[in-house]
Every structure is written in structure tokens, then in C-alpha cells.
Amino acid sequence: MGLDIRGRSFLTLLDYSPEEIDSLIDLAAEFKNLKRAGIAHRRLEGKQIVLLFEKTSTRTRCSFEVAARDLGMGVTFLDPGSSQMGKKESLADTAKVLGRLYDGIEYRGYSQRVVEDLAKYSGVPVWNGLTDDFHPTQMLADMLTAREEFGHDLRGRKLTFFGDARNNVANSLMVVCAKLGLRYCACGPKELMPAGELVGKCRAVAAETGAELEFTDDPAQGAKDCDILYTDIWLSMGEPAELWERRIALLRPYQVNGALIAKAKPTAIFLHCLPAFHDRGTTVGEEIYEKYGLEAMEVTDEVFLGPQARQFREAENRMHTIKAVLWATLQ
Ligand code: CP
Ligand code: NVA
């Protein structure tokens, strides 16, 4: 398929061409078929990778672990409490050590600068498993899920992100939509719109690919003609809990509920990177209910459990797409 990204890091999709992104998603679909058919694909036997997590995770960690094991690799997991990084040892020194022991490094944490520096100093491929700015592996899963619904060519499909439109997931959606020629709509309050610098970069990409970018604070406008309704948590990891009150006040109108999804195309699907606050079944969800009387935040059960919901298929696709990235960069 002409995809050659051996030895490269995967830090943001801005670094990848539309053709490379396209090929990674195709490769993920092939790995998904192999897995479904029960055909072994231990193509990276003997290699070792390390997963560095400074924030919590379910899907990303498990997807990297399962994907690596399916490919025959060994995996080490390091959480914030169990490495010296940043406390007794600099980032550069840690990267130099890990680069000598491992064939690749996954990092989830705060600053995008950290993941860039890990790549700079380690000398091995580094994969961004989420920073404050970007969540690129999530995007491949999202686009694979969209393709499974709408077919291979997603150009012209409208994807609207409702909520905190300058968080890591929303930033990355704007990038991937620009790269793959979709219509991206950021729908949220004016103070939570993406940074001008990133919008500028995406506009330049869109000019090449035919993608369209739209920004609105009107939920009805966001839902109009929409093929993919996407939302995410209203307060991201690393943001202070004191912000909940302000965020709830700002983002309430952007909740994805039955009335909103009814304004989209009848064939539209709902995606969410997860985890989601769709009921009171979590400690945070219950606290928010007691304090603000909200049964759900960014999405209601009507949508989350409804016929248009695809978020669990999307979660499974994290593993297949991460496997594609591992294989393509380490082969
Ligand atoms: N979507 C996602 O990244 O999930 P985790 O935080 O569970 O890894
Ligand atoms: N925006 C969310 C995404 C979680 C996968 C966060 O950073 O917490």
C-alpha cells in the first residue's frame, strides 16, 4: 500500500499526510479482520515497548497492551508513581535510558512538549497516547468507525464536535477532518473555541484537501446536516475541579440529547472517545447530580443507549488502530 513510516514517531496528525493517515486506517481494518478470523499476527516478536502514563486510562492503556501482545511484543507499564521521571531524573535522561531498552515508547501526560522531547532524546518511535493538546491515536479509531458506517470515502461528511471545542480531542478532530476532507464543525461557546494558530494550520490543510471548517455557538446549526455528532467530557484530565461550575453553565446548551440528534441527518451516528458522563453511575456523576441536579452531562442515555450510538465499536477500534501504528512504525 506504499505506507512507509518505519522509525517515525506519532505525536500529532499534523505530521502525517492524508495518504499516510488513510493507509493507517486501511491497515487497522486489515488487522481487525485478522483478529476477528482468529489468525495470529505476531509480526513484531522479540520487540519490547514501554507505556508511560502520567494520567489515568482504560482504553488507551489496554489497547496498547493487547495490540502489542497480539503482535508478539513484550510490554512494560509505568504509572506516575513508579518511575523516576521528572522527580529524580530529567526527561532527557529518562528518554535516553528507555530508548536503549525499548523499541518504542508510548506517553500519556500533560504537555505536548514532553512527548516531543521524548521523541527527540530517546531515538526510538514515540506514540502520543494523549496530551493536553492532542489525542491522535483516538482519531484513527474514530475515522475507522466512521468508515465502517459510511464507506471508505468520508469527504464531505459533516462531523460536529459539541462542547469544549479546544480540548485535546476536539483539536485532533479538527486536524483529522481537515486532512481527510470532511466538514468539521466546532460547536460550543465562544470562549471554548480552538486556538487561532491551530485553526490557521488546519485551514491551510483544508485548502489542499477540500475540507471545510465551521465554528458556531448555535447547537441547532451544529446539528444541521450532521453525519457524526461527537462529544467529550466537559472538564478534561488535569483541569481543576473548581472549573466544573463554570463549565456546566457554559456547556449545558451543547448536551447531545434526543432533541439535538433529531436535528441531524436521520442516518447520523453518535461518537464519544469515552469515558462519558451519561448517567449518575460514577462517583463524579453522582456528585454533579447532588450539586447541580444534572442526571447527565455531555450526553443523555437517550442517545448513549440509542440506535445511533457507536461509541463502544469506536472503543474497540482503538485497539485495531493502535496496532496499525505500532506495526507501521516498528516493522
Ligand atoms: N478515549 C480514551 O483515551 O480513553 P482512556 O482515557 O480510557 O484511555
Ligand atoms: N478530553 C478528555 C479525553 C479523555 C480521553 C481528557 O483529556 O480528559
Side-chain angles (χ1 to χ4, degrees), residues 55 59-60 108 130-132 135 138 164 167-170 232-233 235-238 273-275 318:
K55 289 176 178 168
R59 276 147 292 273
T60 308
R108 165 172 287 198
L130 180 146
T131 60
D132 291 343
H135 196 4
Q138 178 73 49
D164 176 6
N167 80 9
N168 40 21
V169 169
D232 183 15
I233 193 162
L235 196 71
S236 286
M237 289 182 277
C273 55
L274 302 177
R318 296 296 309 285

Side-chain angles (χ1 to χ4, degrees), residues 142-153:
D142 299 344
M143 292 299 119
L144 174 59
T145 312
R147 278 188 179 177
E148 288 172 345
E149 196 70 32
F150 299 115
H152 195 271
D153 187 358

Side-chain angles (χ1 to χ4, degrees), residues 34 56 72 84 107 127 143 154 176 179 202 231 248 283 305:
L34 290 179
T56 53
Q84 314 280 24
Y107 174 80
W127 310 288
M143 292 299 119
L154 296 173
V176 80
K179 291 272 180 181
C202 290
T231 189
I248 288 171
T283 45
L305 306 175

Side-chain angles (χ1 to χ4, degrees), residues 107-177:
Y107 174 80
R108 165 172 287 198
Y110 298 88
S111 163
Q112 182 72 13
R113 181 69 195 272
V114 171
V115 82
E116 285 165 7
D117 281 351
L118 279 173
K120 184 168 152 194
Y121 294 112
S122 68
V124 295
V126 172
W127 310 288
N128 179 357
L130 180 146
T131 60
D132 291 343
D133 293 342
F134 295 114
H135 196 4
T137 62
Q138 178 73 49
M139 297 305 111
L140 300 180
D142 299 344
M143 292 299 119
L144 174 59
T145 312
R147 278 188 179 177
E148 288 172 345
E149 196 70 32
F150 299 115
H152 195 271
D153 187 358
L154 296 173
R155 283 176 299 176
R157 294 276 173 192
K158 177 173 172 181
L159 184 153
T160 302
F161 181 89
F162 296 91
D164 176 6
R166 31 111 270 178
N167 80 9
N168 40 21
V169 169
N171 282 345
S172 295
L173 283 169
M174 181 165 66
V175 175
V176 80
C177 288

